[in-house]
Amino acid sequence: MATIRDIARKSGYSVTTVSRVLNHQKYVSPAAKAAIEAVIEQLDYVPNSLARDLSFGQNKNIGVVLPHNDHPYFNQLLNGIMDAAFSSGYHIVLLPSEYNQTIELDYLEQLKRKNFTALIFASHGLALSVLEDYTRYGQIVCCENPGQHHISAVYSHREPAYLAAFNYLKIQQVTQMGLLLSRNSVQSPTWVAVTTAYQQVFSCQPDAKLMIGGMRSFEDGYHAAKHLIAQQPTLNCYFTNGDDIAAGVRQYHLDHQLAPPLLIGQEKQLSSLLLKIPTIDHHFFTLGQKAFAVALSNHHQICRFESEFILC
Amino acid sequence: MATIRDIARKSGYSVTTVSRVLNHQKYVSPAAKAAIEAVIEQLDYVPNSLARDLSFGQNKNIGVVLPHNDHPYFNQLLNGIMDAAFSSGYHIVLLPSEYNQTIELDYLEQLKRKNFTALIFASHGLALSVLEDYTRYGQIVCCENPGQHHISAVYSHREPAYLAAFNYLKIQQVTQMGLLLSRNSVQSPTWVAVTTAYQQVFSCQPDAKLMIGGMRSFEDGYHAAKHLIAQQPTLNCYFTNGDDIAAGVRQYHLDHQLAPPLLIGQEKQLSSLLLKIPTIDHHFFTLGQKAFAVALSNHHQICRFESEFILC
DNA sequence: ATAATTTATGAAACGCGTCCCAGGTCAAGA
DNA sequence: TCTTGACCTGGGACGCGTTTCATAAATTAT
């Protein structure tokens, strides 16, 4: 494997001049350029990225920390990020965390080791204050409201859409509903936003017995409906954290000759289109695009998008 | 940012000894180890990955070349790869290509530049002979039958499942069907496998007028049905390259009061479950896991999986 | 007691580009 | 004629771990 010094020796020019040719810099005579390029061609030389990265002090990798990849939220976000990264010269590195704090912390340590130029945090197992600590080692973009923390952020403003959805249900005379959310933690931003909106519309706390976390898939929705119906046979309305979850609920009702339930989905997936389930679009693709742009910029910025309630 | 030399100076030991401590090597006295670790702690030192990679001659990144990420094929494959890569110490780098040969070639060049340790090719815009040329720069795993080419491969054997699906349709007295495939090229492996199986079952070539390529989504299926029905109003059977595409076809029939069509989907997605569409499972998750394992091993190997026709 | 190992430790080279700075040429402006 | 400045080229330090090789002390084997 030829090195830049081989090219220099064989062409009769110095390493510096070869480097100038490689980087298309000024101050190289046409003769030198031609001679050097000929040798490069002849020796089939390409510069070593590892050496270049060390010299430059950083590589061109942007890490994306996300719990997993089988949820439309992450998928759409990732597609947006990839779209923005395409032909930027930067690479997207997938960093699954399963919400495991130790693993997420390890990714932050890798930022410190210069394994990445920047990190996009779509997961949030860690406290924001921890992320904040690591911003000195590289740009960190989180995908939720950073509050008082000095972290760049790109996130969707969910509350108005949640209010619109609950108001829609209120008009339908709904008195009780299942809440099928994805995160398990009561402190998670989603959980807080949902219960706050619920309280605002219905003037009371949602029934804790009808709230279930950890929902992700069609199957999860199906089982959740089964579980809830067992203890509340008249239940006929569900607010869910994803269209597929809602589809699962509907399927359970269908399979057991129950009246079609009133559903609210999220993510604007195919299933909401197929089954005419009202949904909430959080514009994750656009969010991902923006997240990448912020990751590359090296100043602090916060960008909020508005979620949208869609009554198809 | 402290370097290993800072640690050496401050601890009174040599760079070599510090390196030994960092890499948990033998031949370090307990005293030296303790002293050095104390200084490392004190200066908040972590080794620089870029320097380490240069010294080692390679990094720990595995590139995954795929056309895009919004198709279940790639999604499931990617999830399998990520699953296998998890806690392996290696990182998965997403390399979208849009089937663009120039871009794919660029990724191969990056392998040469040591930007990746290995590449998994889930896209196939390039000829296999080109991939073969680059295997000398690192392991390359392709996700299709490599034929005579000396390239490691992990792929699904689709023919038997296709035969089963066509036989199923034949028993249903089907005489004409739309073929909605995803690749545009007539030479693509999928296209060849489908037409071969068709011919074997029906003893004739599929009607070229009823074949459409470039199918990917629900919307694509919907529009394809519209297009085909316009020129063949009695058409009532479709073999598709994805459950969502089949779902789109079904929706078109529903919307226009046409008899429910006979459908074959692929990928075992949610829509096939919801709409009871017979599907073909190519076990992409397992495939992805294996692809990663092969990417890490540095000897040539070929691994074939059997696709499965599922009549739900 | 002597030879053969094993253990400890460090100087310096290596991997391979990038870049600062110094030195020299040549033409346009004062 | 003298300055000034753009143009061209190269030596060598730098970024930062890893690793080879040499040296010396401490054990173990013979």
Side-chain angles (χ1 to χ4, degrees), chain A residues 16-210:
Chain A
T16 310
T17 303
V18 176
S19 179
R20 284 205 190 87
V21 171
L22 288 170
N23 295 293
H24 310 103
Q25 291 175 4
K26 280 170 50 175
Y27 305 139
V28 179
S29 66
K33 185 165 186 244
I36 289 168
E37 279 174 347
V39 177
I40 286 174
E41 173 84 11
Q42 189 193 333
L43 296 189
D44 192 28
Y45 167 79
V46 286
N48 182 319
S49 295
L50 303 174
R52 207 169 235 189
D53 288 345
L54 171 62
S55 190
F56 189 54
Q58 61 171 49
N59 60 19
K60 295 213 155 201
N61 293 336
I62 308 287
V64 178
V65 180
L66 70 187
H68 46 79
N69 186 35
D70 59 0
H71 188 284
Y73 168 96
F74 302 112
N75 217 59
Q76 291 171 25
L77 189 78
L78 194 55
N79 285 337
I81 293 172
M82 280 171 71
D83 181 76
F86 195 67
S87 74
S88 71
Y90 281 80
H91 286 146
I92 296 305
V93 181
L94 285 177
L95 306 174
S97 78
E98 296 292 344
Y99 293 117
N100 181 317
Q101 300 200 6
T102 312
I103 294 170
E104 295 187 2
L105 201 54
D106 181 57
Y107 292 141
L108 286 170
E109 280 293 315
Q110 290 187 37
L111 177 67
K112 187 170 168 186
R113 289 166 188 232
K114 298 186 183 294
N115 231 327
F116 315 111
T117 296
L119 281 179
I120 296 173
F121 255 80
S123 181
H124 36 213
L126 290 172
L128 290 174
S129 57
V130 179
L131 296 191
E132 199 173 357
D133 280 348
Y134 279 86
T135 51
R136 70 182 116 166
Y137 302 117
Q139 176 72 290
I140 295 180
V141 183
C142 74
C143 296
E144 62 182 282
N145 189 335
Q148 301 308 312
H149 297 279
H150 192 78
I151 311 172
S152 287
V154 172
Y155 66 100
S156 55
H157 188 213
R158 298 153 171 258
E159 289 74 5
Y162 287 167
L163 285 176
F166 284 128
N167 272 315
Y168 163 79
L169 293 179
K170 190 180 185 184
I171 291 170
Q172 312 281 316
Q173 318 276 328
V174 168
T175 55
Q176 59 179 3
M177 74 178 79
L179 289 177
L180 276 44
L181 307 181
S182 67
R183 290 301 304 285
N184 283 298
S185 159
V186 182
Q187 289 94 359
S188 84
T190 309
W191 205 290
V192 171
V194 168
T195 52
T196 306
Y198 185 99
Q199 176 136 26
Q200 211 167 324
V201 172
F202 293 102
S203 309
C204 68
Q205 287 283 336
D207 185 348
K209 289 195 303 298
L210 299 181

Side-chain angles (χ1 to χ4, degrees), chain B residues 4-5 16 19 23 45 52 55:
Chain B
I4 197 172
R5 277 167 240 274
T16 311
S19 178
N23 296 293
Y45 167 79
R52 209 167 235 192
S55 192

Side-chain angles (χ1 to χ4, degrees), chain B residues 157-304:
Chain B
H157 187 214
R158 297 154 172 258
E159 288 73 7
Y162 287 167
L163 284 175
F166 284 128
N167 272 315
Y168 163 78
L169 294 179
K170 191 180 184 184
I171 291 170
Q172 312 281 317
Q173 317 279 326
V174 168
T175 55
Q176 59 178 2
M177 76 178 78
L179 290 176
L180 276 45
L181 306 180
S182 67
R183 291 299 305 284
N184 283 298
S185 159
V186 181
Q187 290 93 1
S188 83
T190 309
W191 206 289
V192 171
V194 168
T195 52
T196 306
Y198 184 99
Q199 176 136 28
Q200 210 166 322
V201 172
F202 293 102
S203 309
C204 69
Q205 287 284 336
D207 185 348
K209 288 194 304 296
L210 298 180
M211 293 174 79
I212 304 186
M215 294 287 106
R216 193 184 288 191
S217 66
F218 179 84
E219 285 76 11
D220 291 339
Y222 194 95
H223 292 127
K226 180 178 182 177
H227 175 73
L228 291 177
I229 287 286
Q231 55 181 65
Q232 194 73 259
T234 61
L235 188 64
N236 198 38
C237 172
Y238 304 78
F239 178 95
T240 72
N241 207 45
D243 295 335
D244 285 357
I245 303 167
V249 170
R250 178 180 161 284
Q251 192 64 44
Y252 182 81
H253 277 241
L254 272 176
D255 288 355
H256 295 80
Q257 283 81 43
L258 298 165
L262 209 50
L263 298 166
I264 303 286
Q266 277 185 69
E267 323 304 357
K268 203 186 176 190
Q269 289 176 258
L270 180 60
S271 46
S272 72
L273 187 63
L274 280 174
L275 306 173
K276 316 275 189 213
I277 300 171
T279 191
I280 296 172
D281 187 353
H282 297 296
H283 307 297
F284 289 129
F285 185 86
T286 317
L287 223 95
Q289 292 179 309
K290 186 68 186 173
F292 180 79
V294 174
L296 279 200
S297 85
N298 34 29
H299 54 275
H300 176 260
Q301 56 185 301
I302 291 179
C303 189
R304 195 177 85 172

Side-chain angles (χ1 to χ4, degrees), chain B:
Chain B
M1 193 98 280
T3 74
I4 197 172
R5 277 167 240 274
D6 295 328
I7 307 299
R9 201 173 314 125
K10 189 142 188 172
S11 67
Y13 285 91
S14 72
V15 168
T16 311
T17 304
V18 176
S19 178
R20 283 205 191 86
V21 170
L22 288 170
N23 296 293
H24 310 102
Q25 291 175 6
K26 281 171 50 177
Y27 305 139
V28 179
S29 66
K33 183 163 188 245
I36 289 169
E37 279 174 347
V39 177
I40 286 174
E41 174 83 12
Q42 189 191 335
L43 296 189
D44 191 28
Y45 167 79
V46 286
N48 182 319
S49 295
L50 303 174
R52 209 167 235 192
D53 289 346
L54 171 61
S55 192
F56 189 53
Q58 61 171 50
N59 59 20
K60 294 213 156 201
N61 294 335
I62 308 287
V64 178
V65 180
L66 69 187
H68 47 78
N69 185 35
D70 58 1
H71 188 284
Y73 168 95
F74 302 113
N75 218 59
Q76 292 171 23
L77 189 78
L78 194 56
N79 285 336
I81 294 173
M82 280 172 70
D83 181 76
F86 196 67
S87 75
S88 71
Y90 281 80
H91 286 146
I92 296 305
V93 182
L94 285 177
L95 306 174
S97 77
E98 296 292 344
Y99 292 117
N100 181 317
Q101 300 200 6
T102 312
I103 294 170
E104 295 188 1
L105 202 55
D106 181 58
Y107 292 141
L108 287 170
E109 280 293 316
Q110 290 186 37
L111 177 67
K112 187 170 168 184
R113 289 167 189 232
K114 298 185 183 296
N115 230 328
F116 315 111
T117 295
L119 280 179
I120 296 173
F121 255 81
S123 181
H124 34 213
L126 289 174
L128 289 174
S129 56
V130 179
L131 296 191
E132 199 173 356
D133 280 348
Y134 279 86
T135 51
R136 70 181 116 164
Y137 301 117
Q139 177 73 290
I140 296 180
V141 183
C142 74
C143 296
E144 62 182 282
N145 189 334
Q148 301 308 311
H149 298 280
H150 191 78
I151 311 173
S152 288
V154 172
Y155 65 101
S156 55
H157 187 214
R158 297 154 172 258
E159 288 73 7
Y162 287 167
L163 284 175
F166 284 128
N167 272 315
Y168 163 78
L169 294 179
K170 191 180 184 184
I171 291 170
Q172 312 281 317
Q173 317 279 326
V174 168
T175 55
Q176 59 178 2
M177 76 178 78
L179 290 176
L180 276 45
L181 306 180
S182 67
R183 291 299 305 284
N184 283 298
S185 159
V186 181
Q187 290 93 1
S188 83
T190 309
W191 206 289
V192 171
V194 168
T195 52
T196 306
Y198 184 99
Q199 176 136 28
Q200 210 166 322
V201 172
F202 293 102
S203 309
C204 69
Q205 287 284 336
D207 185 348
K209 288 194 304 296
L210 298 180
M211 293 174 79
I212 304 186
M215 294 287 106
R216 193 184 288 191
S217 66
F218 179 84
E219 285 76 11
D220 291 339
Y222 194 95
H223 292 127
K226 180 178 182 177
H227 175 73
L228 291 177
I229 287 286
Q231 55 181 65
Q232 194 73 259
T234 61
L235 188 64
N236 198 38
C237 172
Y238 304 78
F239 178 95
T240 72
N241 207 45
D243 295 335
D244 285 357
I245 303 167
V249 170
R250 178 180 161 284
Q251 192 64 44
Y252 182 81
H253 277 241
L254 272 176
D255 288 355
H256 295 80
Q257 283 81 43
L258 298 165
L262 209 50
L263 298 166
I264 303 286
Q266 277 185 69
E267 323 304 357
K268 203 186 176 190
Q269 289 176 258
L270 180 60
S271 46
S272 72
L273 187 63
L274 280 174
L275 306 173
K276 316 275 189 213
I277 300 171
T279 191
I280 296 172
D281 187 353
H282 297 296
H283 307 297
F284 289 129
F285 185 86
T286 317
L287 223 95
Q289 292 179 309
K290 186 68 186 173
F292 180 79
V294 174
L296 279 200
S297 85
N298 34 29
H299 54 275
H300 176 260
Q301 56 185 301
I302 291 179
C303 189
R304 195 177 85 172
F305 289 79
E306 295 299 320
S307 298
E308 191 182 347
F309 177 53
I310 300 173
L311 199 54
C312 40

